[in-house]
């Protein structure tokens, strides 16, 4: 465990006591507190107003039962959560995750990260997150619809365009958002487009939202590389995962002249030295909801599937973890360093363990933390809210340029703050200190609420 500033240590201990057995939440809090020593020494007013304790305690936590009928008529029960963490900068904003591993602590870690990520976008959105232990894998469309309708039958009373605006995350894409939106509209009798983001293009969605997290991560890594007079052109890249974030990260790397030589899913790793064929990948994953073994078959002998290696063992110049939390441990990071990796940017939320981050930064690898590197998704959600509020819809080109501008802005802001605190090139310090200060100043201004 890192040595925390004496002012921050008791705050962390209180988080541990109040939230037992929520290891991922503890990890996310510790990662932020570890960057804040110099900030609280410079700003004793944050300590006096107990800003940090307040940030660590969600404003509201909602847990509810979601009953639904499967296709055989059997009753199923899931649990759902919405953790409304901070509304100091705007309505609570963050995705919903459907995955069997989802517990309250998972949603809290994601919601906590979201506060700072959303602040970094510079757009007026607070932090929240939700989800359920429902597993959409293998479920029919009708089952997914019944589940989503049941979930919204409770959730509708807590959300709204000025209150709390959910979106997708793992296991929640346009299909699920469509069912959720339909039920919200039916219950409330309001066509309130801004209540959810990530909607379909024909019913209030934004261009580039689908691509935004992956594209944004790649724009961020390109900016990091530029500080060392490098770029993605000609670079060998590995991207873990093969879901929404990974697919569009791969697409953008290829647009910028790099080659993605490996990706993965829970069944293993695909190595495709000629470059992952993103159109085939989209067909397999987005249209057919299939596995990477299907991708290998469609590639006709070019790609190879391995169920016994870690993706981080594939030598590369740049690595983009885009699957899930704690997917890269110390060993994974060591393998990357050995393979000559120069930059890592987190496309998923908290994919690198603290030990992995230490190995990477210790070896001089550029490291872009998720709350900065993957903020393009939620930033484009905020652009979707803007379009909904003005009953407008922007072109792909215009929206993509806005996204690129936001990502370059986040990079600039993190780099400048890192310098200011005597840690040049340390994007973890830059992201945490900069986002925290913005949130803390707004909290001071708004009083003890
Ligand atoms: N789930 C995404 C994230 O982790 C996006 C959230 C949103 O668009 O509200 O940032």
């Amino acid at each position: 465990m890192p040595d925390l500033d004496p002012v921050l240590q008791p705050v962390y201990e209180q988080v541990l006591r109040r939230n037992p057995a929520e290891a991922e939440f503890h990890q996310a809090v510790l990662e932020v507190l570890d960057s804040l020593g110099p900030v609280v020494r410079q700003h004793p007013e944050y300590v006096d107003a107990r800003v940090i304790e307040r940030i660590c305690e969600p404003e509201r936590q909602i847990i509810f039962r979601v009953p639904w009928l499967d296709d055989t008529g059997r009753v199923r029960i899931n649990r759902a959560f919405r953790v409304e963490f901070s509304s100091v900068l705007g309505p609570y904003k963050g995705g919903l995750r459907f995955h069997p591993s989802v517990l309250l602590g998972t949603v809290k870690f994601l919601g906590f990260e979201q506060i700072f990520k959303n602040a970094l976008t510079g757009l007026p959105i607070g932090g929240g997150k939700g989800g359920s232990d429902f597993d959409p894998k293998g479920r029919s469309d009708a089952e997914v619809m019944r589940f989503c309708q049941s979930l919204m039958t409770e959730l509708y009373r807590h959300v709204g365009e000025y209150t709390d605006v959910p979106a997708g995350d793992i296991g929640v894409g346009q299909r699920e958002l469509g069912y959720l939106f339909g039920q919200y509209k039916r219950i409330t009798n309001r066509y309130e487009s801004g209540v959810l983001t990530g909607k379909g293009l024909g019913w209030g969605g934004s261009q580039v939202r689908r691509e935004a997290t992956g594209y944004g991560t790649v724009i961020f890594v390109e900016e990091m590389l530029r500080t060392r007079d490098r770029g993605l052109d000609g670079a060998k890249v590995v991207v873990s995962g093969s879901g929404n974030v990974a697919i569009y990260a791969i697409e953008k790397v290829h647009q910028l002249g790099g080659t993605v030589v490996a990706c993965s899913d829970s069944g293993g790793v695909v190595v495709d030295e000629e470059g992952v064929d993103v159109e085939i990948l989209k067909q397999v994953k987005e249209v057919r909801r299939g596995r990477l073994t299907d991708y290998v078959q469609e590639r006709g002998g070019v790609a190879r599937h391995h169920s016994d290696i870690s993706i981080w063992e594939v030598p590369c110049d740049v690595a983009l973890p885009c699957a899930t939390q704690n997917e890269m441990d110390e060993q994974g990071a060591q393998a990357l360093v050995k393979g000559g990796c120069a930059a890592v940017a987190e496309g998923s939320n908290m994919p690198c363990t603290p030990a992995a981050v230490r190995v990477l930064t210790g070896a001089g690898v550029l490291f872009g933390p998720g709350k900065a590197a993957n903020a393009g998704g939620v930033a484009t959600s905020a652009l979707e809210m803007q379009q909904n509020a003005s009953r407008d819809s922007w072109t792909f080109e215009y929206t993509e340029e806005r996204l690129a501008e936001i990502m370059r802005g986040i990079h600039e802001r993190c780099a400048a703050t890192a310098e200011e605190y005597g840690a040049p090139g340390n994007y973890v310090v830059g992201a945490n200190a900069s986002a925290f200060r913005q949130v803390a100043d707004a909290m001071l201004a708004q009083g003890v609420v």
Side-chain angles (χ1 to χ4, degrees):
M1 204 185 109
D3 275 337
L4 287 178
D5 185 276
V7 168
L8 298 168
Q9 183 66 32
V11 178
Y12 182 60
E13 282 164 15
Q14 188 185 45
V15 167
L16 294 180
R17 270 198 309 277
R18 270 202 176 141
N19 306 276
E22 294 179 353
E24 292 161 335
F25 179 47
H26 304 161
Q27 183 184 334
V29 170
L30 185 58
E31 192 250 7
V32 171
L33 296 190
D34 188 36
S35 299
L36 296 185
V39 181
V40 292
R41 285 195 289 279
Q42 200 179 56
H43 294 277
E45 68 276 19
Y46 296 157
V47 180
D48 296 340
R50 306 193 61 175
V51 160
I52 305 150
E53 284 100 314
R54 274 196 274 158
I55 288 185
C56 293
E57 185 63 24
E59 289 176 16
R60 191 178 297 108
Q61 307 184 53
I62 301 145
I63 306 180
F64 55 99
R65 180 174 73 190
V66 185
W68 55 285
L69 291 176
D70 71 15
D71 284 345
T72 68
R74 219 177 119 194
V75 176
R76 302 272 178 170
I77 306 293
N78 284 97
R79 178 181 282 182
F81 310 89
R82 187 72 187 166
V83 175
E84 298 179 334
F85 238 108
S86 170
S87 61
V88 74
L89 300 183
Y92 309 107
K93 182 83 196 84
L96 296 170
R97 176 176 293 190
F98 293 171
H99 192 272
S101 66
V102 168
L103 294 167
L104 179 60
T106 323
V107 179
K108 270 197 210 159
F109 114 66
L110 291 163
F112 184 77
E113 291 250 314
Q114 201 84 45
I115 308 172
F116 303 102
K117 183 195 313 198
N118 295 3
L120 286 175
T121 66
L123 298 164
I125 39 180
K129 200 89 187 188
S132 172
D133 56 5
F134 173 72
D135 187 358
K137 239 189 225 134
R139 291 281 162 213
S140 69
D141 285 353
E143 290 178 316
V144 170
M145 181 176 75
R146 287 193 293 274
F147 173 78
C148 289
Q149 289 176 338
S150 179
L151 184 139
M152 186 51 89
T153 301
E154 171 61 33
L155 188 66
Y156 87 94
R157 56 185 108 244
H158 308 290
V159 298
E161 67 174 311
Y162 296 109
T163 313
D164 184 354
V165 183
D169 195 83
I170 293 171
V172 179
Q174 224 172 78
R175 172 181 61 168
E176 290 74 17
L177 289 164
Y179 297 145
L180 290 164
F181 183 69
Q183 183 74 351
Y184 181 82
K185 184 170 67 63
R186 186 168 190 205
I187 295 173
T188 59
N189 192 29
R190 286 162 64 88
Y191 204 106
E192 187 187 332
S193 302
V195 67
L196 292 173
T197 61
K199 299 182 293 296
L201 288 177
W203 43 281
S206 172
Q207 296 283 359
V208 196
R209 177 62 192 87
R210 181 198 290 270
E211 294 85 355
T213 313
Y215 277 21
T217 302
V218 175
I219 297 168
F220 193 89
V221 89
E222 177 91 337
E223 288 296 302
M224 291 201 303
L225 287 167
R226 207 203 296 266
T227 65
R228 297 202 179 155
D229 296 319
R230 299 177 62 154
L232 280 163
D233 194 18
K236 223 176 175 186
V237 181
V238 303
V239 175
S240 67
S242 47
N244 169 263
V245 182
I247 288 173
Y248 293 96
I250 295 170
E251 187 166 279
K252 186 49 96 183
V253 168
H254 288 168
Q255 284 173 10
L256 295 177
T259 305
V260 176
V261 294
C263 63
S264 61
D265 67 10
S266 55
V269 176
V270 161
V271 178
D272 192 336
E273 290 291 346
E274 285 180 17
V276 171
D277 186 320
V278 85
E279 292 312 317
I280 296 181
L281 190 62
K282 282 183 195 173
Q283 265 299 318
V284 168
K285 286 284 173 177
E286 290 183 338
V287 182
R288 306 206 313 252
R289 297 178 190 277
R291 313 286 307 157
L292 278 181
T293 41
D294 306 328
Y295 169 86
V296 171
Q297 226 163 31
E298 304 253 325
R299 268 299 256 164
V302 182
R304 269 209 284 282
H305 188 268
H306 305 265
S307 43
D308 52 349
I309 66 164
S310 150
I311 190 164
W312 315 123
E313 291 166 27
V314 180
C316 62
D317 303 306
V318 172
L320 305 175
C322 295
T324 194
Q325 66 267 22
N326 292 326
E327 55 171 307
M328 187 197 300
D329 60 9
E330 188 172 12
Q331 252 188 330
Q334 281 162 347
L336 277 179
V337 171
K338 206 169 127 202
C341 180
V344 173
E346 295 185 319
S348 49
N349 291 314
M350 211 170 72
C352 300
T353 65
V357 178
R358 273 194 297 277
V359 169
L360 296 172
T361 48
V365 176
L366 290 162
F367 176 72
K371 53 173 88 66
N374 73 38
V378 76
T380 308
S381 278
L383 301 182
E384 183 172 330
M385 291 163 72
Q386 275 185 41
Q387 292 168 78
N388 294 153
S390 57
R391 303 190 186 283
D392 197 0
S393 75
W394 306 341
T395 63
F396 192 95
E397 291 68 29
Y398 176 73
T399 317
E400 189 180 12
E401 188 40 43
R402 292 283 314 262
L403 166 66
E405 227 172 77
I406 292 166
M407 295 313 299
R408 291 192 293 261
I410 296 173
H411 177 272
E412 178 56 42
R413 179 174 166 177
C414 293
T417 309
E419 287 256 352
E420 187 187 331
Y421 286 103
N426 187 330
Y427 294 94
V428 175
V429 168
N432 287 335
S434 160
F436 172 78
R437 274 194 329 208
Q438 186 185 343
V439 173
D441 287 339
M443 288 174 73
L444 287 184
Q446 293 176 23
V448 180
V449 292

